[in-house]
Amino acid sequence: MALVTAVAGCGGSAPTPQPSATPAASPRQAARDLLAASAATAKDRRYVATYTLRTRNRDERTVTVALATDNSWVVSVPAGLLGGYADAAVFRSTDGLFQCALGPAAATAADPAAPRVTPGCVKVKKLTSGTDPKVQHIFTDWIDVLLDPAAPFSVAVAQRLEKASGTCYSIESNSAALAAPVDPGIYCYNADGTLTAARTSFGTLVLVGTPDPAPASIALPAPIVPGGPLSVAAPPPPPSPTPGTTTQP
């Protein structure tokens, strides 16, 4: 027993185990986590707000966004259809998704080539690239993509856009072979989940003033009409008369 005690005493104390080092998150991963936190807050945010929309070669427009507490929503885009001839809205409720024409755009009222536009909404399963004003996605389904850790894009904290508040994030697609799940660009969020600015393929949005409280529900902005959704592109010009013929008054 004395020998065992002596050997144990001569060995000295055992070295204290060191905790394994935890790898630090990369700046891009940290930025993605911050963006996901902003998106999670935005997903639960309900409000009514207006934004300026600046698009190349177009006059500045005012977009209205209404997100109701019953999860119905509408996003109106002036001059968003028929190449700018018609005001647009995209609406969703428990009844489905609708593309709506709200009437002729104000800036085209005196244009003799302007097509006739009657207010009306058409129910659609989805909007295609030819019928989609796109602006509504940044307030609705793109938020779920920003929350998806497996979505193929990278994130970095970006310089704040002019007139924006909160934190801005630059989003870049990771794959040139696949369609981007959200538009690459810059997205800016306040701490309360309000989108304050964005720069994407459809233009630059900037929040105007302070959002108003959300309504309980939102009604369809125009009556349901037959037919299909309108194109975002301008309609083709009427055919020119054949030389040597006359047209009836």
Side-chain angles (χ1 to χ4, degrees), residues 92 97-99 123-129 131-132 229:
R92 181 181 279 282
L97 179 67
F98 295 82
Q99 188 221 59
K123 187 175 182 178
V124 294
K125 289 185 178 179
K126 66 177 183 178
L127 292 167
T128 66
S129 59
T131 61
D132 190 353

Side-chain angles (χ1 to χ4, degrees), residues 30-234:
R32 183 155 186 160
D33 292 343
L34 288 172
L35 175 60
S38 294
T41 308
K43 187 175 177 65
D44 296 328
R45 184 87 165 92
R46 301 292 181 267
Y47 57 94
V48 178
T50 57
Y51 293 79
T52 59
L53 173 60
R54 296 193 302 272
T55 305
R56 184 177 298 176
N57 300 325
R58 298 284 294 272
D59 291 336
E60 189 174 279
R61 293 172 281 169
T62 299
V63 168
T64 303
V65 178
L67 308 169
T69 55
D70 69 349
N71 292 326
S72 59
W73 55 260
V74 65
V75 177
S76 65
V77 185
L81 295 172
L82 299 181
Y85 282 115
D87 291 339
V90 180
F91 170 87
R92 181 181 279 282
S93 71
T94 54
D95 293 329
L97 179 67
F98 295 82
Q99 188 221 59
C100 303
L102 303 182
T108 66
D111 187 344
R116 182 180 178 184
V117 179
T118 302
C121 296
V122 175
K123 187 175 182 178
V124 294
K125 289 185 178 179
K126 66 177 183 178
L127 292 167
T128 66
S129 59
T131 61
D132 190 353
K134 289 192 73 174
V135 182
Q136 74 282 355
H137 293 294
I138 201 166
F139 301 99
T140 57
D141 54 303
W142 284 357
I143 293 176
D144 289 328
V145 180
L146 299 182
L147 284 166
D148 182 2
F153 61 82
S154 59
V155 182
V157 174
Q159 183 176 352
R160 189 177 294 170
L161 293 176
E162 183 181 0
K163 297 183 180 180
S165 59
T167 305
C168 296
Y169 305 91
S170 174
I171 295 177
E172 297 179 2
S173 175
N174 286 346
S175 174
L178 299 174
V182 299
D183 265 9
I186 296 177
Y187 296 65
C188 305
Y189 287 96
N190 268 344
D192 66 359
T194 301
L195 182 85
T196 65
R199 180 182 294 157
T200 71
S201 67
F202 58 73
T204 300
L205 284 170
V206 178
L207 178 67
V208 177
T210 303
D212 292 322
S217 185
I218 298 168
L220 200 65
I224 296 176
V225 296
L230 297 182
S231 172
V232 295

